[in-house]
């Protein structure tokens, strides 16, 4: 293997330890701890898993979590009522509504109802709007994109002046990570399903963020030697040799690309753990802001 492995699990563990120490200090000084409310609507297995992992991580860091597991057919009004109650709860410093929501609920209305100061997912339209403009500071930045940048920073990868290619244009990852790279003075291309000569554009990248949701789409001959690869993909593919009958893989053909790249994240164990670490970071920052701790 020629590429350096960017070990998200280890980096996230270090961040979680930093947060745990901050929470202990906060508790010793004020008698308070940060609080995160998770709102899960319906029974999607992936969403249930993500929310369970988020709550478990809170517990380990000493952060209080307030779980709301709601039925698939809850009305928009009832959901809004719960969000407003959480807005008014002084023990809750962060509110996370797990996405996607069922079709009968308007996502933007719900995300827009979250108190801006508790929007630890960074999906409130005002936070997204600020992220998308120059010299406007969002209060919070979405967790997975923030985790991608943190991985680059903690690996010592310079972003300024580099050619960054983002594969995928989702609201949750592709678009916000492109904005963050742009704010750090990278030259950014966003690619998608209609991009002409996709391999040719990807080959220009010094930094590649793959967030398209297609298993092992990026091949070894798509990338430039020395590229740094952040693979956000999390795809389950059939694998009869595995006990579970499937294995998880990214959007990048890891075995091929690692021979060409200078650094690469594995899947699992790359970006995934960083999403949760950044959620704990945002929640703790929110609590500090509320408690006026600088
Ligand atoms: N669904 C997939 N990723 C995320 C995330 O980071 N936050 C929320 N709220 N929902 C998601």
């Amino acid at each position: 293997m020629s590429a350096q492995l960017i070990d998200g699990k280890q980096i996230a563990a270090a961040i979680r330890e930093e947060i745990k120490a901050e929470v202990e200090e906060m508790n010793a000084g004020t008698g308070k701890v940060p609080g995160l409310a998770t709102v899960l609507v319906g029974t999607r297995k992936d969403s249930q898993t993500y929310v369970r992992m988020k709550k478990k991580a809170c517990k380990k860091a000493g952060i209080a979590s307030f779980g709301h597991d709601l039925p698939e057919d809850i009305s928009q009004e009832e959901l809004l009522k719960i969000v407003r109650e959480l807005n008014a709860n002084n023990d809750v410093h962060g509110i996370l509504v797990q996405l996607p929501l069922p079709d009968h609920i308007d996502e933007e209305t719900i995300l827009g109802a979250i108190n801006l100061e508790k929007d630890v997912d960074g999906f409130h339209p005002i936070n997204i709007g600020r992220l998308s403009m120059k010299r406007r500071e969002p209060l919070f930045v979405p967790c997975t994109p923030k985790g991608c940048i943190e991985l680059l920073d903690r690996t010592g990868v310079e972003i300024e002046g580099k050619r960054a290619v983002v594969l995928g244009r989702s609201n949750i990852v592709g678009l916000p990570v492109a904005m963050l790279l742009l704010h750090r003075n990278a030259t950014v291309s966003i690619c998608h399903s209609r991009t002409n000569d996709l391999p040719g554009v990807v080959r220009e990248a010094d930094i590649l963020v793959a967030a398209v949701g297609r298993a092992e789409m990026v091949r070894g001959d798509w990338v430039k030697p020395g590229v740094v690869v952040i693979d956000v993909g999390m795809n389950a593919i059939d694998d009869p040799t595995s006990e579970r009958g499937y294995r998880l893989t990214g959007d990048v053909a890891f075995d091929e690309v690692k021979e060409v790249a200078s650094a690469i994240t594995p899947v699992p164990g790359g970006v995934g753990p960083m999403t949760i670490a950044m959620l704990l970071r945002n929640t703790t920052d929110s609590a500090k802001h509320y408690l006026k701790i600088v």
Side-chain angles (χ1 to χ4, degrees):
M1 158 145 185
S2 53
Q4 174 194 352
L5 196 71
I6 304 177
D7 188 343
K9 211 168 153 184
Q10 196 178 62
I11 295 173
I15 294 171
R16 283 167 61 164
E17 281 305 312
E18 291 164 20
I19 292 168
K20 188 166 177 234
E22 287 174 38
V23 171
E24 276 165 12
E25 199 181 325
M26 177 186 293
N27 196 12
T30 65
K32 306 252 184 227
V33 294
L36 175 71
T38 55
V39 179
L40 173 65
V41 181
T43 54
R44 275 180 68 117
K45 286 273 168 293
D46 57 347
S47 292
Q48 284 175 334
T49 304
Y50 290 136
V51 169
R52 194 169 52 243
M53 286 164 68
K54 288 167 184 177
K55 285 188 194 162
K56 194 170 154 195
C58 279
K59 194 166 179 202
K60 278 194 176 167
I63 294 174
S65 65
F66 303 80
H68 290 262
D69 290 359
L70 306 168
E72 179 88 24
D73 62 355
I74 190 171
S75 72
Q76 183 160 306
E77 261 323 299
E78 284 173 287
L79 184 56
L80 276 173
K81 190 164 163 260
I82 289 165
V83 169
R84 290 187 190 118
E85 281 166 11
L86 294 171
N87 283 343
N89 183 339
N90 291 338
D91 294 327
V92 170
H93 306 102
I95 301 172
L96 176 141
V97 177
Q98 187 65 27
L99 302 177
L101 289 168
D103 287 345
H104 68 279
I105 293 177
D106 182 54
E107 185 181 293
E108 199 179 353
T109 303
I110 300 300
L111 296 177
I114 294 173
N115 179 341
L116 204 55
E117 307 223 319
K118 299 189 181 190
D119 177 37
V120 289
D121 243 344
F123 292 149
H124 189 290
I126 290 184
N127 274 326
I128 290 291
R130 288 182 182 167
L131 179 66
S132 308
M133 299 179 91
K134 283 208 285 189
R135 290 185 287 278
R136 305 272 205 285
E137 283 293 310
L139 288 175
F140 298 102
V141 169
C143 301
T144 303
K146 183 169 168 157
C148 294
I149 302 295
E150 192 76 26
L151 282 177
L152 294 171
D153 284 344
R154 292 198 182 222
T155 310
V157 175
E158 207 187 324
I159 300 174
E160 177 149 339
K162 294 289 159 54
R163 201 65 193 255
V165 173
V166 177
L167 198 49
R169 52 178 163 178
S170 71
N171 287 333
I172 291 179
V173 186
L175 292 177
V177 84
M179 294 314 304
L180 290 175
L181 289 162
L182 189 59
H183 292 320
R184 294 287 296 272
N185 297 320
T187 300
V188 183
S189 302
I190 305 173
C191 301
H192 45 78
S193 53
R194 313 261 172 89
T195 298
N196 286 335
D197 185 20
L198 188 56
V201 181
V202 170
R203 218 172 279 125
E204 291 174 4
D206 302 310
I207 297 170
L208 173 65
V209 179
V212 75
R214 296 264 308 269
E216 299 178 354
M217 182 181 180
V218 178
R219 313 304 307 195
D221 62 355
W222 283 35
V223 296
K224 180 165 82 178
V227 63
V228 175
V229 179
I230 304 292
D231 189 352
V232 185
M234 182 64 78
N235 312 290
I237 57 172
D238 291 342
D239 181 0
T241 67
S242 140
E243 208 174 288
R244 296 181 296 188
Y246 69 91
R247 67 184 169 89
L248 292 174
T249 184
D251 293 346
V252 173
F254 182 85
D255 287 341
E256 292 176 19
V257 172
K258 77 179 195 312
E259 299 303 333
V260 189
S262 62
I264 185 168
T265 57
V267 175
V271 175
M274 293 300 288
T275 298
I276 294 187
M278 293 301 103
L279 177 65
L280 304 183
R281 176 77 273 152
N282 282 351
T283 304
T284 305
D285 287 350
S286 177
K288 283 178 154 180
H289 177 76
Y290 176 76
L291 297 167
K292 302 197 167 39
I293 302 170
V294 276

